[in-house]
Amino acid sequence: MKEKRKIYNLTDSSLDNYNLLLNEAIFHNANGYIGIRYDFEEGYPDGYEITRSQYINGFYDYAEMKQAERLYGLPEKKQTMLDVADTQEIKLFIDGEQFSMFSGTLMDFQLYLDMDRGVTVREVKWQSPKGHEIALKITRMASLHQLPLFLIEYEIDPLEFRGEVIIESAHDGNVCNFADPDDPRTADRCEDYIIPESCEIKDGASYITSRTSRSGLEVCSCVKNVLSQKNQTEFLIDNNKTTCIMRTKANSGRKIKLVKYAVLCDSIRYSDCSMQAREELNKALSVSVSEHHRKHEGYLRNYWKNCRVEIDGDDELAQAVIFNMYQLNQSVSKDIFGNIAPKGLSGDGYEGQYFWDSEMFIQPFFTITNPAISKTLIESRYRQLDQARRNARILGHERGALYPWRTITGVECSGYFPSGSAQYHINGDIAYAIIAYYLATKDIEFIAEKGAEIIFETARMWIDTGNFYKGQFHINDVTGPDEYTCVVNDNYYTNALAQYHLRWAVKFYSMLKEAGRLDAVAKKIKFRKTEIRGFIKAAEAMYLPYDEELKINPQDDSFLRKKEWDIATIPRQNFPLLMHYHPLYIYRHRICKQADTVMAYFILEDAQSEETMRNSFLYYEKITTHDSSLSQPVFSIVAARLGMEEKAYKYFGDSAKLDLLNLYNNTEDGIHTANMAGTFLTIVYGFGGFRLKESGISFDPILPEKWKGYDFTISYENSRIKVDVGEKECIFSLEKGRSKRISVYGKSYRLKDKLIILRPSNEKEEKE
Ligand code: BGC
């Protein structure tokens, strides 16, 4: 291991086409607003398949999604995140020969991601076919302090070479989204979503403004190349007026540095995006490059302070966790116009749409490390609330709001309703994330302003969807998180979460009433007191499936009646099952894609006895394929909760390196942000035994056998607490803010400065 806070490319197979595709995702640069896949600026030889793309979070067009049978209410179009103008290209010619990683001799090459500096760096020593040697260092950064800015520093050391050096830097508006018709997880067609409308060069900078075909959005990109030497430069506009090229000759006697400033501004955030882009470019040019780095690194330093995780005894694993947290910051929107997509801004997988991944995996990470981001994520859902109300009407509900399963602005973008719109649990997930934000911050003001409106509107959906039958409240024909079991009655996860959601709606109702803050929201959504009575009644009568014989919670009412399908008999190449079997064939079997009931135990552990959770865990473990990357972290957390330390460690290890080792064979489509957050949750909630409840915060740390220790920080009510877990003791330090009451191994303490607690002796056996 070179350094823990740097990720290096594997040098042996680094130029292999597939590895280059993986690099596009692993080494991409993003800041939550823009994302740029990692590509060699000079390009690749003909025949290489590459998905070179730049994205803006939440910037989309509509794509047709024709339904073969036009049943009522099925969406016929979806939103898809767009590939916007390419500002990466830089070509270098020395003595007439073009630099390429694929010609001449690569004498030295390394590519790395530096997670403290927040940059991707490529260093190359190259000998041209004619025998000229040069060294290059290329640094890329998506600025965290000026979000529209993407910088490339291109440094050329001509070494002994004396001759003509020509640099060509392009800005290309002629782009198209990636598509793979064979993979349901990516778009199936490549269309011209974005049409360049103007392309001009002014004062040495190029400006391209493009419009989307259907959504009526606009984006402007500006590029300026600044060279360390004064040179003769010419500009051309090419390619049917969609590409601007800057061509310059440099003097090879000295080192040459080109700084390429690119800014991207869209019409979602800015009323005049062309004007804004010009201003952003001027702003970027008015600051030195080192000042840009200083501010960018300052942001990151602060980020790392709040979400520190260290593992003593396994550097590779520690590096994987740091990488995962780095990617979460790169991916999450810093404003309310975006959210966080399953692939962040690193690829076209899932088309940049937002899912429950945001609320149930990623937001819990931010809620306890950076609550301001968590609040922004909720506000971005608040922005979608009107659309969610419309969505509820489409599905036949006269009141309330139903969030779509996958979306960019709030309209349902899932074409296959059994594992899409039927996942009503999304309403409970969003409510759960708001409640967790409240528990971590006690920000009742925000609940009064926005949170409660979402909570009440979404809670209404349970009442409208469910019904009483023989005194119990049932929620029928919905799909739980497990997408291999669809449209079922009484999914345990959904019902348990609905119960929690309804109870909290009642609590917030009382709290706001007491604070004199209820009227505004109640009036706005015509919320009546009788509805609260309905919430209480439904919550108390909520049916939660339980099987007396097996002493487990069946995933739903029909689950135990299904046919068995022994996972061990399925050929390895047939995973994930969704790519090899008809959905109906899968649905008829007792097999799970991901944690479903086990997920309910993670978030609502007080709803069942320890024994039921243990029996169920062991039951579902045997029939879960983990075909979704969201699954293993949850199994790890619940295993830790149930005292199965070895299992907790195994599930954690398998999932923490998912993207670095490409364990799901699809990292080329983008990183897996929910899984990444899951690794942090596994350390904090799993091994650290952290819980955030109404009664306060608690810890129940265990130490995996292979580690000497680990530490992490969490934020709670404006304080930051560092937890060090060692072989003999746990040390809790208050790093920031006021003293806090915490519970450790079931005992309550006041944490003022430092608290040292001995770990219970480790004589306990692996429990099963
Ligand atoms: C999972 C969903 C998840 C989606 C996006 C699917 O494979 O089954 O739970 O929301 O991926 O990550």
Side-chain angles (χ1 to χ4, degrees):
M1 157 120 341
K2 281 193 183 167
E3 285 166 65
K4 250 196 290 181
R5 304 188 70 84
K6 283 189 181 161
I7 301 289
Y8 284 84
N9 185 28
L10 319 157
T11 34
D12 44 346
S13 60
S14 50
L15 298 184
D16 149 279
N17 194 159
Y18 187 60
N19 192 53
L20 293 171
L21 280 171
L22 294 176
N23 283 355
E24 287 191 312
I26 299 286
F27 294 98
H28 83 286
N29 301 99
N31 55 23
Y33 175 53
I34 53 171
I36 301 95
R37 272 168 81 86
Y38 182 80
D39 280 293
F40 295 154
E41 289 73 13
E42 64 280 2
Y44 304 88
D46 285 348
Y48 266 68
E49 276 180 35
I50 290 295
T51 320
R52 187 179 177 120
S53 302
Q54 300 197 180
Y55 312 102
I56 293 182
N57 200 345
F59 188 75
Y60 67 96
D61 199 10
Y62 286 104
E64 274 190 15
M65 192 168 59
K66 282 267 167 257
Q67 302 280 349
E69 295 184 33
R70 301 185 67 188
L71 295 177
Y72 179 82
L74 301 191
E76 295 255 325
K77 58 181 187 179
K78 62 180 171 181
Q79 299 172 322
T80 188
M81 179 172 75
L82 297 187
D83 184 6
V84 294
D86 182 347
T87 64
Q88 301 190 38
E89 188 174 301
I90 300 173
K91 288 184 178 160
L92 172 69
F93 301 84
I94 64 162
D95 195 17
E97 293 179 289
Q98 188 185 341
F99 161 66
S100 163
M101 301 284 284
F102 303 86
S103 68
T105 312
L106 264 187
M107 302 169 74
D108 207 358
F109 162 47
Q110 38 177 14
L111 173 63
Y112 58 89
L113 179 65
D114 182 330
M115 297 186 282
D116 282 323
R117 292 188 60 219
V119 292
T120 304
V121 182
R122 174 165 55 131
E123 293 185 40
V124 182
K125 196 166 170 208
W126 182 68
Q127 189 183 54
S128 75
K130 284 190 205 164
H132 302 309
E133 279 176 26
I134 55 163
L136 295 176
K137 181 173 180 190
I138 304 158
T139 308
R140 294 157 69 113
M141 169 180 95
S143 170
L144 283 162
H145 78 95
Q146 191 185 348
L147 297 178
L149 175 65
F150 173 54
L151 261 189
I152 304 181
E153 290 161 78
Y154 199 95
E155 296 170 77
I156 309 161
D157 184 344
L159 304 173
E160 300 298 311
F161 170 70
R162 298 291 173 270
E164 192 182 60
V165 174
I166 293 179
I167 306 170
E168 267 183 24
S169 169
H171 174 189
D172 185 3
N174 193 15
V175 288
C176 178
N177 270 40
F178 171 77
D180 178 355
D182 294 329
D183 189 337
R185 295 164 297 186
T186 56
D188 55 351
R189 265 179 309 178
C190 174
E191 289 192 24
D192 287 335
Y193 292 117
I194 194 158
I195 300 146
E197 287 208 318
S198 71
C199 182
E200 57 167 333
I201 291 171
K202 217 172 159 193
D203 303 330
S206 55
Y207 301 86
I208 298 179
T209 304
S210 305
R211 183 170 283 284
T212 58
S213 320
R214 301 175 188 85
S215 60
L217 298 174
E218 220 177 70
V219 57
C220 177
S221 46
C222 309
V223 170
K224 179 139 186 167
N225 296 280
V226 178
L227 214 69
S228 56
Q229 308 180 351
K230 285 250 171 296
N231 302 79
Q232 272 182 337
T233 301
E234 53 176 0
F235 292 94
L236 348 154
I237 295 191
D238 208 358
N239 227 350
N240 228 348
K241 295 205 171 159
T242 57
T243 312
C244 303
I245 299 172
M246 185 253 358
R247 191 162 195 273
T248 188
K249 276 190 198 163
N251 181 348
S252 67
R254 282 178 282 148
K255 289 186 183 171
I256 306 159
K257 180 167 175 177
L258 168 78
V259 182
K260 187 169 186 178
Y261 295 83
V263 300
L264 286 158
C265 290
D266 66 273
S267 62
I268 303 174
R269 274 106 175 155
Y270 307 107
S271 54
D272 184 340
C273 63
S274 303
M275 173 83 86
Q276 184 73 27
R278 276 158 222 261
E279 279 173 21
E280 294 287 345
L281 183 64
N282 289 336
K283 185 171 148 196
L285 290 164
S286 70
V287 176
S288 69
V289 173
S290 56
E291 184 62 6
H292 277 297
H293 281 291
R294 203 184 59 77
K295 290 187 172 162
H296 179 70
E297 283 166 32
Y299 184 104
L300 273 174
R301 246 195 322 278
N302 203 28
Y303 178 74
W304 290 123
K305 246 191 236 161
N306 290 328
C307 66
R308 177 197 158 83
V309 170
E310 266 302 334
I311 297 171
D312 184 6
D314 193 337
D315 283 356
E316 269 184 26
L317 203 53
Q319 184 195 47
V321 176
I322 294 168
F323 174 75
N324 290 351
M325 289 188 297
Y326 179 81
Q327 296 302 353
L328 291 171
N329 180 47
Q330 289 220 107
S331 310
V332 72
S333 178
K334 311 293 184 295
D335 64 35
I336 62 169
F337 303 102
N339 197 287
I340 179 164
K343 308 283 177 189
L345 296 163
S346 71
D348 290 62
Y350 293 117
E351 300 178 64
Q353 297 155 355
Y354 316 125
F355 293 66
W356 75 313
D357 306 36
S358 300
E359 282 75 23
M360 297 314 285
F361 291 83
I362 300 153
Q363 207 172 317
F365 161 75
F366 284 111
T367 296
I368 55 168
T369 56
N370 198 333
I373 289 194
S374 190
K375 180 172 172 180
T376 306
L377 287 170
I378 303 171
E379 289 189 295
S380 116
R381 285 297 193 181
Y382 187 77
R383 235 184 126 238
Q384 301 172 352
L385 186 57
D386 271 339
Q387 287 287 4
R389 289 182 175 112
R390 256 169 251 151
N391 190 42
R393 305 300 164 268
I394 294 172
L395 276 110
H397 304 287
E398 278 173 19
R399 52 193 342 183
L402 176 64
Y403 278 90
W405 176 240
R406 48 193 289 177
T407 189
I408 291 184
T409 67
V411 294
E412 180 62 271
C413 295
S414 151
Y416 181 64
F417 76 85
S419 56
S421 313
Q423 296 204 46
Y424 272 47
H425 66 86
I426 182 90
N427 263 12
D429 303 329
I430 292 171
Y432 184 87
I434 297 173
I435 298 160
Y437 169 76
Y438 168 75
L439 291 175
T441 60
K442 307 296 181 301
D443 185 356
I444 190 72
E445 187 57 35
F446 181 66
I447 298 295
E449 272 175 18
K450 295 185 175 152
E453 190 179 337
I454 302 182
I455 299 261
F456 296 153
E457 282 285 70
T458 47
R460 279 173 159 169
M461 201 52 38
W462 300 127
I463 304 299
D464 210 51
T465 309
N467 58 282
F468 285 92
Y469 175 68
K470 294 191 178 168
Q472 288 188 303
F473 193 77
H474 298 268
I475 300 175
N476 294 329
D477 297 304
V478 295
T479 298
D482 168 33
E483 295 185 352
Y484 286 171
T485 315
C486 289
V487 193
V488 291
N489 294 343
D490 289 317
N491 165 257
Y492 176 84
Y493 174 91
T494 308
N495 288 16
L497 187 56
Q499 184 181 51
Y500 180 78
H501 181 175
L502 289 166
R503 284 179 177 155
W504 266 97
V506 176
K507 276 184 209 170
F508 280 137
Y509 182 89
S510 311
M511 277 186 217
L512 294 186
K513 195 165 176 202
E514 212 164 282
R517 301 294 307 271
L518 181 67
D519 288 355
V521 56
K523 203 164 152 208
K524 182 169 178 197
I525 63 167
K526 298 194 176 64
F527 196 57
R528 292 184 308 265
K529 204 169 167 208
T530 49
E531 286 188 71
I532 282 294
R533 271 185 237 125
F535 285 6
I536 297 172
K537 234 176 107 192
E540 290 327 302
M542 187 67 70
Y543 168 74
L544 298 177
Y546 178 76
D547 185 78
E548 292 289 350
E549 219 171 280
L550 296 171
K551 302 200 180 331
I552 66 166
N553 295 119
Q555 193 168 293
D556 60 75
D557 242 14
S558 64
F559 194 72
L560 298 183
R561 271 181 262 139
K562 294 186 181 214
K563 227 185 260 179
E564 267 182 48
W565 190 3
D566 183 359
I567 294 185
T569 63
I570 305 173
R572 266 182 83 86
Q573 67 275 15
N574 286 2
F575 293 96
L577 304 184
L578 68 108
M579 302 283 280
H580 302 274
Y581 298 90
H582 192 282
L584 279 176
Y585 184 84
I586 301 177
Y587 300 166
R588 288 199 190 103
H589 289 90
R590 215 181 317 138
I591 200 156
C592 305
K593 179 182 183 188
Q594 62 203 99
D596 189 303
T597 309
V598 174
M599 177 78 188
Y601 298 154
F602 163 37
I603 60 166
L604 302 169
E605 62 184 6
D606 298 325
Q608 296 298 328
S609 71
E610 179 105 6
E611 191 205 350
T612 307
M613 289 197 281
R614 179 181 313 282
N615 294 340
S616 301
F617 177 92
L618 296 171
Y619 182 86
Y620 290 109
E621 199 185 18
K622 291 194 192 80
I623 57 171
T624 303
T625 63
H626 305 292
D627 280 351
S628 159
S629 70
L630 278 53
S631 194
Q632 300 211 41
V634 179
F635 269 76
S636 174
I637 294 167
V638 177
R641 161 72 180 77
L642 297 170
M644 304 176 192
E645 290 177 23
E646 246 175 61
K647 285 189 179 182
Y649 190 74
K650 182 189 160 292
Y651 284 119
F652 173 69
D654 283 355
S655 79
K657 296 179 197 160
L658 191 150
D659 282 313
L660 284 177
L661 299 181
N662 188 24
L663 296 178
Y664 274 59
N665 294 319
N666 64 358
T667 294
E668 69 275 16
D669 294 338
I671 54 170
H672 296 75
T673 54
N675 173 275
M676 290 175 153
T679 56
F680 174 86
L681 300 180
T682 305
I683 294 180
V684 175
Y685 280 85
F687 304 129
F690 171 73
R691 292 295 181 270
L692 170 67
K693 292 187 183 169
E694 221 181 336
S695 51
I697 55 171
S698 60
F699 301 84
D700 203 356
I702 55 172
L703 178 66
E705 227 178 72
K706 298 205 174 82
W707 300 352
K708 294 195 196 94
Y710 62 100
D711 63 73
F712 59 86
T713 53
I714 59 132
S715 293
Y716 176 64
E717 295 178 352
N718 286 323
S719 294
R720 190 171 63 229
I721 300 171
K722 177 157 180 271
V723 183
D724 287 87
V725 182
E727 276 162 9
K728 300 212 166 64
E729 57 195 25
C730 303
I731 306 173
F732 296 83
S733 320
L734 187 66
E735 287 195 338
K736 201 187 98 187
R738 293 231 186 118
S739 74
K740 286 278 152 321
R741 187 149 281 287
I742 63 173
S743 156
V744 186
Y745 298 123
K747 260 176 102 176
S748 175
Y749 303 88
R750 176 150 293 276
L751 172 63
K752 285 196 187 123
D753 177 22
K754 202 172 249 187
L755 193 65
I756 302 181
I757 310 241
L758 289 183
R759 290 191 46 231
S761 61
N762 243 347
E763 79 263 341
K764 62 177 168 171
E765 296 272 292
E766 176 91 344
K767 286 189 223 157
E768 273 219 12

